[in-house]
Amino acid sequence: MKIQKNFFLTFFLIPFAILAQNKANISIANNTVLERKEAVVAINWNSILSQYPQIDTTNFVVINTVTKKQVPFQLEHKGFPAIQNLLVQVDVKAKSNLKLSVQKGKPQVFAVKTFARYVPERFDDFAWENDKLAYRAYGKALEGTKGDAFGLDIWVKRTDKMILNKRYKSEDYHKDSGDGLDYYHVGFTLGAGNMAPYVKDSVRYSGNYHHWKMMDNGPLRSTFILGYDTWDVDGLKVKATKTISIDAGSQFYKLENVYTYENGKSLPVVAGIIKRPEAGIMSLNEQDGIMGYWEPQHGEDGITGVAVVLTTPVSSIVIDKEQILAKTEVKSNEPIIYYVGGAWNKAGIITNSVQWFDHINRFSKEIKSPLIVTVK
């Protein structure tokens, strides 16, 4: 009887062990009263492997277990050879759990919704976009030229298609050809959300970025690093890197700045938004680290909304003759994370200041209460 019992257990346990290797079940919990739409969620790849060790990275699908439909996904590397995360884009209703299954199958071809690249043909620009907006940082080749600028730029768009390559190729992106344009003015300011040291009531700008590295490039998230050479900040030698990450479906992108210097003290910095000469509308919240700005009408080009949402305490928000500045502090080699966003009224999604400020406040609440992922 003992031999028969062992045979019985072996016979029935082996199939269950095999089945356990053919799937990973994911639960994404939204414990807030805010419905999350088009959210890009990162799921640790090792947690997938622990449940589905035989997964073929070229032959699997992510299935919504209720609708039975495939879910868009991306394998995120963060610059490493090995996969770091499985990214999925999902809608999660308020106070609910979304169930997904990772299993064998042929994945659909989903639309590319984020893209970034170095643009050597336009003075070393580095540009990035998602299905809502596009942005750029200025490079080394632009320094000292007539068109030099210090801040970050926004290109408005009213299409969910990727437009960067098309616009650079046309060389006429200051005119709206039906999908948007670049009419945002940066100049010698922080533009749309750049950050810089702030000493003796003065912004201490760095040069433009001189180095770059691509980490991931779509379809749901594009991430890259921009490196800035050492510059003088009131006698202190400072270097900086910016890790920028943009997700599909969001009016915002994420910046992680690291400043490196030697005195061991906190360094005061500001994030800024250029203020137009004409009257715009502002929504400033020091307690929550929010700067919202709805620009004045710019002729036929329309209106751009800009916002900065910080995750570190803001000591004050000040308005000078050129910019709106949120003051905070950093320490050497410690990342400071914040978010920059934009909206264009002619895109038809966010069309007035009330909608824009509501959206900013909602986004601030979302980053403070992230979706909770469980793999089993």
Side-chain angles (χ1 to χ4, degrees):
M1 291 296 293
K2 184 176 182 180
I3 294 175
Q4 290 179 341
K5 183 178 181 181
N6 287 344
F7 174 80
F8 177 84
L9 289 173
T10 302
F11 181 81
F12 282 98
L13 286 177
I14 288 176
F16 284 121
I18 292 172
L19 285 174
Q21 295 178 357
N22 291 335
K23 170 185 297 192
N25 296 310
I26 300 167
S27 174
I28 301 176
N30 179 5
N31 295 330
T32 74
V33 295
L34 301 173
E35 183 176 1
R36 302 294 295 273
K37 293 186 176 181
E38 300 184 283
V40 175
V41 181
I43 304 156
N44 181 271
W45 185 248
N46 285 334
S47 68
I48 300 290
L49 290 178
S50 69
Q51 301 300 317
Y52 189 2
Q54 303 303 319
I55 188 172
D56 179 352
T57 57
T58 64
N59 192 34
F60 77 91
V61 294
V62 181
I63 300 294
N64 181 316
T65 59
V66 174
T67 66
K68 307 303 181 184
K69 293 181 179 180
Q70 290 193 29
V71 173
F73 70 86
Q74 175 185 333
L75 297 177
E76 184 182 34
H77 289 261
K78 293 188 171 182
F80 296 101
I83 300 166
Q84 304 298 304
N85 291 311
L86 171 68
L87 305 178
V88 295
Q89 187 177 34
V90 293
D91 297 335
V92 189
K93 294 180 180 179
K95 295 290 184 179
S96 70
N97 285 270
L98 176 68
K99 304 294 185 181
L100 305 177
S101 174
V102 179
Q103 60 194 56
K104 184 176 180 179
K106 182 178 180 180
Q108 295 176 15
V109 177
F110 291 100
V112 173
K113 296 182 179 181
T114 70
F115 176 68
R117 79 170 177 98
Y118 168 56
V119 190
E121 69 269 29
R122 220 305 297 196
F123 297 102
D124 295 341
D125 282 357
F126 203 101
W128 59 104
E129 67 177 316
N130 66 1
D131 47 347
K132 304 296 184 182
L133 288 151
Y135 309 86
R136 68 171 165 175
Y138 300 108
K140 182 177 182 179
L142 194 67
E143 290 179 344
T145 69
K146 183 179 179 180
D148 197 7
F150 294 159
L152 297 173
D153 193 15
I154 287 182
W155 286 9
V156 293
K157 54 192 279 191
R158 51 170 166 230
T159 175
D160 58 4
K161 303 296 189 294
M162 302 296 98
I163 52 82
L164 285 178
N165 285 337
K166 173 186 173 183
R167 289 199 187 168
Y168 275 113
K169 187 176 181 179
S170 75
E171 298 182 353
D172 189 23
Y173 44 78
H174 298 291
K175 179 181 179 181
D176 186 359
S177 60
D179 58 12
L181 73 159
D182 169 29
Y183 77 91
Y184 192 78
H185 175 66
V186 175
F188 300 126
T189 73
L190 293 169
N194 202 7
M195 179 176 282
Y198 190 75
V199 179
K200 297 179 180 178
D201 296 326
S202 178
V203 180
R204 303 305 177 94
Y205 297 99
S206 68
N208 295 338
Y209 88 88
H210 286 191
H211 319 280
W212 65 274
K213 180 180 180 181
M214 185 66 70
M215 312 293 278
D216 291 280
N217 206 0
L220 297 180
R221 175 177 292 169
S222 293
T223 303
F224 55 93
I225 298 174
L226 302 180
Y228 295 75
D229 289 346
T230 301
W231 76 102
D232 183 84
V233 179
D234 197 36
L236 183 67
K237 302 300 181 184
V238 178
K239 287 184 69 174
T241 60
K242 298 181 187 293
T243 301
I244 294 176
S245 184
I246 187 166
D247 283 359
S250 179
Q251 302 288 147
F252 286 81
Y253 67 90
K254 178 181 177 182
L255 292 96
E256 180 180 302
N257 287 350
V258 177
Y259 293 90
T260 303
Y261 53 93
E262 292 186 351
N263 72 2
K265 298 179 181 179
S266 295
L267 178 67
V269 297
V270 288
I273 299 172
I274 185 172
K275 180 170 62 73
R276 305 306 177 194
E278 303 81 12
I281 305 172
M282 301 178 192
S283 177
L284 310 179
N285 182 336
E286 292 177 352
Q287 181 176 350
D288 291 328
I290 294 173
M291 292 191 301
Y293 184 45
W294 188 251
E295 291 195 330
Q297 178 81 29
H298 189 267
E300 295 182 359
D301 296 331
I303 303 172
T304 298
V306 186
V308 171
V309 178
L310 290 106
T311 62
T312 52
V314 171
S315 59
S316 64
I317 297 176
V318 298
I319 303 169
D320 68 18
K321 64 179 181 179
E322 292 183 315
Q323 307 182 78
I324 313 162
L325 302 171
K327 299 181 182 179
T328 186
E329 293 185 341
V330 299
K331 291 186 177 180
S332 183
N333 291 315
E334 293 187 9
I336 178 170
I337 294 172
Y338 70 108
Y339 297 83
V340 172
W344 186 37
N345 69 321
K346 294 179 76 171
I349 300 171
I350 295 169
T351 59
N352 58 60
S353 62
V354 173
Q355 292 175 348
W356 181 224
F357 298 151
D358 284 347
H359 186 89
I360 299 166
N361 291 329
R362 179 190 178 99
F363 177 80
S364 178
K365 292 175 182 177
E366 289 176 354
I367 60 176
K368 292 174 183 176
S369 301
L371 298 170
I372 300 171
V373 177
T374 306
V375 181
K376 57 184 179 179

